Amino acid sequence: MRKEIKQTWHFNQSPEEVWEYLTKPELIEQWLMKNDFQPIVGHKFRFTFTAKPNSKYEGVVDCKVLEVKPFTKLSYSWNGSTQDKSRNYNSIVVWTLVPKDNGTELQLQHNGFVVLEDILAHTEGWKSCLKKMEESLKTMKP
Amino acid sequence: MRTQTLDAFQVIADPSRRQMLQLLSKKSLTINSLAENFDMSRPAVSKHIKILYGAGFISITGIGRERHCILKQDGFNELQDFINYFDKFWTTKLSKLQTILNNKANK
């Protein structure tokens, strides 16, 4: 079962140029969301968006900068909630920039969903456990 | 006892229920042997089990006089939908970034 998101994108621009789009609020806003980001470890910031009327998710993501390695790596916590406040998800977003083919390979990892990880860490074996149960049920007579 | 209907996230928000699912991921257990792992009253254990059952995380099978709790996939599928939602979210956003950068390069 999947418990994280991993995507790899290639850009023709240099890591320096891509980095700007990950760290300058007015540039981030162009492709992601409104924000008050600053590339300073410990800085707390918010992404805000207008949630669609039928969306489950609330229009605010609370974040904190965790790691800043210029042109190489950026990570922040990503904590949000649903409109009705019934679900809170705490997670971590990690950006990694690697120079490649005269451009940049941008890797995104979105993981550490706190509500999920405890449980998913332990679900690997659940299928085999079901199978064992099935077998023991077969051999048991009521 | 009335059983509340909770969604998958509310279900696993509770540490005792997470622990129950962890125990059940190792092997199926009778309600009694599951209860032995918790310092709480039997009705409290039953309530948690009902909640897990209601949200599709476990099924309950009677074998002889014993009632066995077994993990079930439905509850876990709802959690998977959540991951898929964010995967799509990032794909949309990053393709927008790519368009912006490409347009910039062509100017």
Side-chain angles (χ1 to χ4, degrees):
Chain A
M1 190 162 165
R2 271 178 71 197
K3 57 179 175 178
E4 68 168 13
I5 293 158
K6 242 184 197 174
Q7 294 193 8
T8 303
W9 289 70
H10 186 268
F11 297 96
N12 294 324
Q13 286 74 16
S14 65
E16 287 78 5
E17 217 169 325
V18 174
W19 179 259
E20 295 217 312
Y21 278 81
L22 294 177
T23 54
K24 287 199 170 157
E26 67 278 14
L27 296 182
I28 300 169
E29 187 182 336
Q30 285 183 24
W31 64 278
L32 185 53
M33 283 183 266
K34 276 192 183 169
N35 66 94
D36 54 347
F37 177 87
Q38 281 180 40
I40 299 165
V41 174
H43 172 67
K44 287 180 184 168
F45 66 104
R46 264 187 169 179
F47 286 111
T48 51
F49 59 99
T50 313
K52 288 175 193 160
N54 59 346
S55 170
K56 289 190 271 192
Y57 299 96
E58 206 189 29
V60 177
V61 184
D62 283 304
C63 303
K64 190 176 159 186
V65 180
L66 302 173
E67 195 177 351
V68 182
K69 275 191 197 165
F71 319 129
T72 310
K73 196 177 174 192
L74 172 70
S75 78
Y76 38 79
S77 60
W78 177 279
N79 304 328
S81 143
T82 51
Q83 300 256 19
D84 61 4
K85 308 278 182 201
S86 67
R87 295 177 192 180
N88 290 293
Y89 51 89
N90 302 319
S91 57
I92 292 169
V93 172
V94 182
W95 298 101
T96 312
L97 295 81
V98 182
K100 204 174 186 180
D101 304 330
N102 293 321
T104 305
E105 188 181 271
L106 179 66
Q107 295 159 6
L108 160 72
Q109 252 177 295
H110 189 178
N111 57 22
F113 292 97
V114 171
V115 287
L116 301 186
E117 68 183 7
D118 274 25
I119 180 94
L120 296 188
H122 295 269
T123 53
E124 295 305 321
W126 80 266
K127 272 185 192 159
S128 67
C129 138
L130 256 182
K131 202 162 184 185
K132 262 188 246 162
M133 184 61 199
E134 200 179 51
E135 279 160 17
S136 62
L137 278 173
K138 275 181 197 159
T139 53
M140 273 175 102
K141 291 263 153 64
Chain B
M1 196 191 302
R2 267 190 69 219
T3 312
Q4 304 149 264
T5 313
L6 302 179
D7 69 42
F9 284 85
Q10 292 170 307
V11 169
I12 61 164
D14 180 274
S16 303
R17 289 196 289 269
R18 279 209 297 273
Q19 208 189 327
M20 286 177 176
L21 290 173
Q22 283 173 20
L23 289 166
L24 290 170
S25 74
K26 291 178 192 110
K27 57 176 183 174
S28 65
L29 292 166
T30 63
I31 294 177
N32 284 330
S33 49
L34 190 60
E36 281 167 17
N37 291 284
F38 295 90
D39 187 20
M40 60 171 86
S41 69
R42 185 55 204 268
V45 170
S46 294
K47 191 184 153 202
H48 285 308
I49 289 173
K50 276 185 190 163
I51 289 170
L52 290 171
Y53 176 78
F57 279 96
I58 60 169
S59 57
I60 300 171
T61 314
I63 300 171
R65 297 171 65 185
E66 298 272 32
R67 305 211 320 137
H68 287 252
C69 302
I70 308 165
L71 282 189
K72 202 176 157 201
Q73 189 150 19
D74 300 14
F76 296 93
N77 287 345
E78 200 191 321
L79 300 179
Q80 195 69 82
D81 290 346
F82 177 80
I83 296 275
N84 292 340
Y85 168 87
F86 273 105
D87 201 24
K88 274 191 208 132
F89 168 84
W90 286 116
T91 303
T92 310
K93 296 299 184 188
L94 284 163
S95 71
K96 200 167 166 188
L97 174 61
Q98 196 152 52
T99 308
I100 291 170
L101 285 170
N102 285 342
N103 287 345
K104 203 173 149 240
N106 292 335
K107 267 177 197 165

